């Protein structure tokens, strides 16, 4: 999945609409403190979590496969960071880490079991003995209507360009492969009335609790904890995020 086209809107849109997800920072701070550095962050994007962990004094090695997302991160000029443009299934770093994590359901961008196993095996090879991996998984990706026709999501001022952005979203669920495919359209209207449209496709794979249990077992990770929210709470039938903390066997 390539986030280059989305990068220019990412931080702005996150602040605008992702009210629940922004609570996630609490658990990454707690886990980073508990398991310590050096830390490996996969799918770091523009560094939303990274910058907060660096403020806490951590040294972080980050990976993402979007040049544009990484350019935004680099422009933040953060200290104590090493940045690599690479894929989470194939990256190679000549060192091992105590703690690795993947935030914002980003592991679910891997749409096949083969890719997921390749990624977990790769992370395994980059962890120290007894090293810990954590990731948040949205267990409800494929809930709800199978098809959402093009629907207005929001209209908001986009101060970076002195423009207005209207976002339309649509989706389709592939029930056989348990994947939800979104098609988002950003219509940006400049002050002089000029229009620019950006189309973005995002797909995420459903990963149930049992599926993740088997996947971690197969890849030789032992589950230490599964939290049902970003405050280290228990898993309930209403949990929107499951935060897995697993240890290299
Ligand atoms: C939802 S954003 C999350 C960014 C950041 N972790 C956060 O929580 O704000 C997903 C990120 O995953 C990255 N990504 C998607 N597929 C990837 C892959 N196969 N390997 C590495 N990064 C990937 C995208 O470029 C994007 O920056």
């Amino acid at each position: 999945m390539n986030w280059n086209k989305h990068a220019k809107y990412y931080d702005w849109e996150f602040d605008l609409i992702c009210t629940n997800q922004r609570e996630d920072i609490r658990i990454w701070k707690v886990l980073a403190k508990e398991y310590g550095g050096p830390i490996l962050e996969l799918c770091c994007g523009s560094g939303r979590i990274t910058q907060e962990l660096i403020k806490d004094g951590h040294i972080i090695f980050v990976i993402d496969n979007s040049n544009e997302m990484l350019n935004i991160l680099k422009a933040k000029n953060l200290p104590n960071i090493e940045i690599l443009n690479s894929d989470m299934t194939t990256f190679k770093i000549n060192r091992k880490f105590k703690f690795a994590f993947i935030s914002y359901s980003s592991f679910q961008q891997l749409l096949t079991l083969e890719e997921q196993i390749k990624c977990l095996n790769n992370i395994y090879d980059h962890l120290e003995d007894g090293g810990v991996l954590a990731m948040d998984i949205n267990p409800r990706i494929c809930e709800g209507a199978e098809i959402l026709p093009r629907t207005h999501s929001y209209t908001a001022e986009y101060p970076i360009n002195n423009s207005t952005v209207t976002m339309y979203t649509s989706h389709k669920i592939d029930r056989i492969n348990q994947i939800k495919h979104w098609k988002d359209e950003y219509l940006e209207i400049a002050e002089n009335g000029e229009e620019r449209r950006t189309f973005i496709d995002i797909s995420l794979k459903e990963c149930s609790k049992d599926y993740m249990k088997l996947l971690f077992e197969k890849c030789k990770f032992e589950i230490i904890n599964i939290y049902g929210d970003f405050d280290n709470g228990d898993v309930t039938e209403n949990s929107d995020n499951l935060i897995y903390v697993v240890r290299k066997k």
Side-chain angles (χ1 to χ4, degrees):
M1 215 160 295
N2 190 301
W3 283 65
N4 282 341
K5 285 194 288 175
H6 193 257
K8 61 177 178 281
Y9 296 127
Y10 185 80
D11 283 349
W12 166 79
E13 184 182 63
F14 191 92
D15 287 343
L16 189 72
I17 61 172
C18 297
T19 40
N20 291 338
Q21 188 67 32
R22 77 173 61 123
E23 307 298 321
D24 65 353
I25 185 60
R26 289 201 290 270
I27 200 157
W28 300 123
K29 277 172 169 272
V30 168
L31 293 173
K33 190 171 173 200
E34 184 166 354
Y35 296 109
I39 296 176
L40 172 63
E41 180 183 1
L42 300 138
C43 303
C44 63
S46 56
R48 183 178 66 86
I49 308 286
T50 326
Q51 61 200 18
E52 299 305 321
L53 297 188
I54 286 174
K55 277 187 208 157
D56 285 354
H58 296 290
I59 297 171
I60 308 196
F61 201 114
V62 298
I63 289 174
D64 198 283
N65 70 352
S66 160
N67 218 19
E68 295 300 323
M69 289 294 254
L70 291 180
N71 283 342
I72 292 170
L73 170 60
K74 285 175 191 164
K76 293 178 182 171
N77 283 320
L78 301 171
N80 298 328
I81 185 170
E82 283 189 60
I83 300 173
L84 179 68
N85 183 336
S86 190
D87 194 282
M88 63 177 137
T89 61
T90 54
F91 70 90
K92 290 277 167 282
I93 306 168
N94 197 15
R95 78 164 77 154
K96 300 214 176 199
F97 298 87
K98 276 200 174 72
F99 178 57
F101 74 98
I102 315 179
S103 67
Y104 204 175
S105 316
S106 297
F107 181 74
Q108 291 170 276
Q109 297 175 104
L110 300 174
L111 303 182
T112 64
L113 186 56
E114 291 72 23
E115 278 186 304
Q116 292 175 337
I117 290 173
K118 204 169 159 191
C119 177
L120 289 181
N121 286 342
N122 197 19
I123 294 171
Y124 186 98
D125 289 342
H126 286 85
L127 284 174
E128 291 179 3
D129 289 344
V132 168
L133 165 67
M135 63 173 77
D136 62 328
I137 293 287
N138 178 334
R140 303 178 177 278
I141 293 294
C142 289
E143 275 186 1
E146 194 139 316
I147 292 180
L148 177 75
R150 183 176 178 272
T151 302
H152 175 262
S153 176
Y154 63 80
T155 298
E157 300 300 312
Y158 181 56
I160 295 162
N161 287 348
N162 275 333
S163 57
T164 304
V165 170
T166 298
M167 204 276 254
Y168 299 93
T169 189
S170 63
H171 74 237
K172 218 164 98 179
I173 295 178
D174 167 353
R175 297 264 182 227
I176 298 294
N177 294 300
Q178 290 286 289
I179 298 172
K180 187 166 180 177
H181 300 284
W182 284 267
K183 279 193 181 298
D184 293 340
E185 177 185 339
Y186 293 77
L187 168 62
E188 186 173 345
I189 305 181
E191 269 180 322
N192 64 6
E194 213 172 276
E195 294 187 1
R196 189 169 50 178
R197 283 173 206 271
T198 307
F199 296 93
I200 296 166
D201 293 345
I202 295 174
S203 302
L204 292 181
K205 187 166 175 66
E206 179 86 53
C207 295
S208 73
K209 197 160 160 255
D210 284 345
Y211 178 96
M212 290 308 292
K213 186 170 175 255
L214 283 177
L215 190 56
F216 285 129
E217 255 170 42
K218 174 163 181 59
C219 297
K220 303 191 180 68
F221 284 99
E222 172 200 0
I223 295 179
I224 309 174
N225 253 316
I226 309 175
Y227 299 110
D229 59 39
F230 298 128
D231 290 309
N232 303 58
D234 292 338
V235 176
T236 71
E237 61 184 40
N238 298 319
S239 293
D240 289 326
N241 289 285
L242 300 191
I243 300 93
Y244 291 85
V245 185
V246 301
R247 179 174 282 128
K248 175 176 176 169
K249 280 195 212 166

